[in-house]
Amino acid sequence: MIKKDIPFREDTAKYFLPWMSFLMVFIAVLALTGGFKIQNILNTWQIGVSGSMTVQIPAYDAQGKSREAVLDEEIEQVLTILRSSEGVLGAEVVSDEQMKALMEPWMGGELDIQLLPLPKLIDVSVDAQNLPNLTTIKSELAKQVPSAVLDSHRIWLDSLLKIIHMVIELISFVLVLLILTATFTVMYSTNASLSVHQPVIALIHMIGAGDFYIAIQYAYRNLKLIFAGGCFGLLASIGLVFLISYFTRYLFVDFYPNAVLDTLQWGLILSVPVWVGILGFITTYLTVLKYLKRFL
Amino acid sequence: MIQSNKLTNPVAEFNGVFLRYPGGHDVLKEIQLTLEPASFHFLTGESGAGKTSLLRLLYLNHLPSKGRIRLFGQAVDTLNRRQRTLIRRKIGVVFQDFQLLEHLNAFDNVALPLRIEGVRESEVKRHVTELLAWVGLEKQLLAYPDTLSGGEKQRIAIARAVINRPQLLLADEPTGNVDDELAKRLLYLFLELNKLGTTVVIATHNKQLIKHFGFPELHLKEGRLEVIPENKYMDMAMKLFARGEKHD
Ligand SMILES: Nc1ncnc2c1ncn2[C@@H]1O[C@H](COP(=O)(O)OP(=O)(O)OP(=O)(O)O)[C@@H](O)[C@H]1O
Ligand SMILES: [Mg+2]
């Protein structure tokens, strides 16, 4: 049985800790829910950073008239522009053989590729860490080879993905900050309470109370306060999430279902008060042990 | 086998013990002391002579700044936290300023050492009720310390110190706030425990009490300890001497 010799009623932690826990859990649950939803959307898109883009030089000219073939000199110009751009790792013309292989499923093996007004494709691999400046490349192309088209959808997508990954990293960072803040708050509050009750603790220590006996009272007491505050924080946060979902459902009808959380994610979110409680329990216990070292 | 009757390790042994508080001078100097099991000593000396300080060394509130102390046969400077805790549980202390917990009533204050040891609640209830009745506080079981008189608080402090039948009982001016009759009655409580084997050290200024019980006196003077042997027959001897003189 955990004894209650320390007059906890008399210190301020009972107001302070539940509020702290309420806020921490509220923010953590919002961040987690947001993070999970973004992750789920990403997963349904099933794409990652690819690091490539394509330049097409169509087999018709700027006026829409078809022409015999794409001029080699145009290809050279495009390759030069691309290869001299920062962030471009390489640019290669897709050969006729490769084109043929690509077309085969639709056209059959007997295809004479020279007869078709196919565009020339240039495969450009880019540095995913240092994406080329697409605006400059586009304006260069427009100046020198107006018919060339830069297909950069993948790149835009890649940039978007990078931003989303940054958001997820940011959320993780916020969570780490929250954990640190919560830990320091619990340490601070415990130390404050320990100083208030110093005479009582000194006495029970003197008459034979072990460190465990004293520390467990504190740990258990803080666990209750933190868990209670955390539960309310969870309720408030989930309430807000549902409210937001309710409105976004009307705004992004197609988009929304992707973001539904799975059981594991729900489990993690619902258990946040428990984790915060355990963290508070351990932090309190260790803080008290450290404090007790001052008594012989 | 040969050593088997050497159960009688001294309860406490001081060997050239000095105590100096941080930033102060030596409060206790070169203390040489052996407390045999079931012995009974008064601890005397002027205010500031170091009585409380000596008791603090005995209940492991301080370590000596110099010299060696053994408690229950163990050198105190070699003990770990857990071992110190276990030794403290063998020691009952009546503090000079009582040190009652203001937020606990008389019953819970006295029950504290038992609960710390994890004694069953039914046992706790039986023992505490009995003991509080013995010290005349059966009606104040549920009273809080700040509603009690000095003497009543003192009796609670004493009850708390003896509730778990300590092997060593240290009392710092335990009878300062009660009249001589009650003082004697309380000392008989210590005597009862002493008969059951508890080693007792009582710091007091009360000459009358020392005279009445006649136990040896540990006398502190400017931090140095002097042992004044048992003077049980002192009163009688004095009377005989006085009578002889008269008849002369
Ligand atoms: N915690 C402390 N820190 C520094 N000095 C102390 C401390 N406690 C006691 N002293 C000093 O040690 C000396 C002895 O004090 P102690 O309390 O042991 O005396 P005492 O014999 O119990 O006196 P009294 O009869 O008045 O209770 C005093 O000079 C006192 O000022
Ligand atoms: Mg004193």
Side-chain angles (χ1 to χ4, degrees), chain A residues 5 203 208 211 292 295-296, chain B residues 81 85 88-89 99 103 116:
Chain A
D5 314 325
L203 178 83
D211 293 350
L292 288 176
F295 302 113
L296 182 69
Chain B
R81 279 186 87 74
T85 297
R88 285 189 185 103
R89 289 184 189 173
Q99 300 248 15
H103 67 287
I116 285 173

Side-chain angles (χ1 to χ4, degrees), chain B:
Chain B
M1 267 325 239
I2 302 158
Q3 289 278 304
S4 71
N5 61 348
K6 219 319 183 167
L7 288 169
T8 51
N9 259 327
V11 169
E13 275 178 289
F14 282 45
N15 208 328
V17 167
F18 284 72
L19 177 66
R20 173 190 295 230
Y21 291 107
H25 57 282
D26 285 328
V27 169
L28 295 174
K29 295 166 202 152
E30 242 187 311
I31 306 285
Q32 210 66 32
L33 168 68
T34 306
L35 294 176
E36 294 296 344
S39 59
F40 198 123
H41 289 91
F42 286 113
L43 177 59
T44 58
E46 287 172 10
S47 177
K51 300 183 293 297
T52 302
S53 304
L54 182 72
L55 295 178
R56 281 185 190 139
L57 289 176
L58 280 167
Y59 62 76
L60 281 176
N61 191 34
H62 282 296
L63 290 177
S65 36
K66 214 171 127 192
R68 312 255 302 162
I69 297 180
R70 296 175 79 84
L71 288 177
F72 302 102
Q74 291 170 282
V76 295
D77 50 344
T78 63
L79 302 172
N80 62 29
R81 279 186 87 74
R82 178 74 195 148
Q83 290 168 320
R84 286 197 293 267
T85 297
L86 293 178
I87 284 195
R88 285 189 185 103
R89 289 184 189 173
K90 297 183 191 174
I91 303 174
V93 187
V94 184
F95 299 96
Q96 191 165 15
D97 54 354
F98 315 145
Q99 300 248 15
L100 299 179
L101 297 186
E102 297 294 325
H103 67 287
L104 297 181
N105 62 31
F107 183 95
D108 289 333
N109 263 292
V110 175
L112 205 53
L114 295 180
R115 290 185 173 148
I116 285 173
E117 282 186 61
V119 173
R120 267 213 321 278
E121 204 56 27
S122 56
E123 290 279 292
V124 171
K125 193 168 160 51
R126 195 164 62 79
H127 281 108
V128 174
T129 317
E130 207 173 277
L131 184 57
L132 279 173
W134 211 97
V135 297
L137 290 174
E138 65 272 21
K139 294 201 180 68
Q140 276 97 337
L141 285 188
L142 302 179
Y144 285 86
D146 60 0
T147 66
L148 295 172
S149 74
E152 287 166 334
K153 281 191 228 180
Q154 195 149 43
R155 281 180 274 162
I156 294 173
I158 290 172
R160 186 181 65 193
V162 303
I163 188 72
N164 57 350
R165 290 241 185 113
Q167 293 180 39
L168 174 61
L169 178 70
L170 308 170
D172 203 347
E173 291 287 345
T175 55
N177 291 53
V178 294
D179 60 52
D180 280 356
E181 269 320 295
L182 189 51
K184 276 182 193 160
R185 192 176 147 75
L186 291 174
L187 267 182
Y188 277 115
L189 177 64
F190 295 158
L191 212 53
E192 287 299 314
L193 277 170
N194 180 241
K195 280 180 188 154
L196 295 172
T198 296
T199 305
V200 181
V201 178
I202 296 174
T204 183
H205 288 290
N206 192 329
K207 291 267 159 24
Q208 176 110 37
L209 221 53
I210 300 171
K211 222 171 163 190
H212 180 84
F213 285 89
F215 290 112
E217 210 178 310
L218 305 170
H219 186 73
L220 277 170
K221 194 170 180 188
E222 286 164 11
R224 294 186 187 272
L225 187 73
E226 176 193 355
V227 183
I228 302 171
E230 200 154 1
N231 59 351
K232 233 174 211 165
Y233 307 106
M234 192 74 124
D235 271 8
M236 216 195 298
M238 292 286 277
K239 274 176 205 153
L240 283 174
F241 179 69
R243 206 178 296 155
E245 237 179 5
K246 221 176 239 173
H247 280 272
D248 204 75

Side-chain angles (χ1 to χ4, degrees), chain A residues 109-178:
Chain A
E110 304 308 315
L111 180 68
D112 184 356
I113 201 151
Q114 304 298 339
L115 299 177
L116 291 170
L118 287 177
K120 279 286 177 194
L121 289 183
I122 297 169
D123 197 16
V124 189
S125 54
V126 300
D127 184 355
Q129 306 308 316
N130 174 30
L131 291 173
N133 186 335
L134 298 179
T135 333
T136 347
I137 294 179
K138 273 190 175 165
S139 68
E140 280 300 305
L141 286 176
K143 252 189 271 168
Q144 301 186 33
V145 192
S147 60
V149 180
L150 174 68
D151 177 2
S152 59
H153 287 147
R154 297 292 304 225
I155 297 246
W156 286 119
L157 217 50
D158 289 351
S159 306
L160 183 64
L161 283 176
K162 280 186 92 175
I163 291 169
I164 290 175
H165 281 300
M166 267 167 60
V167 170
I168 289 177
E169 270 166 29
L170 194 74
I171 288 174
S172 316
F173 180 67
V174 167
L175 289 177
V176 171
L177 270 188
L178 281 180

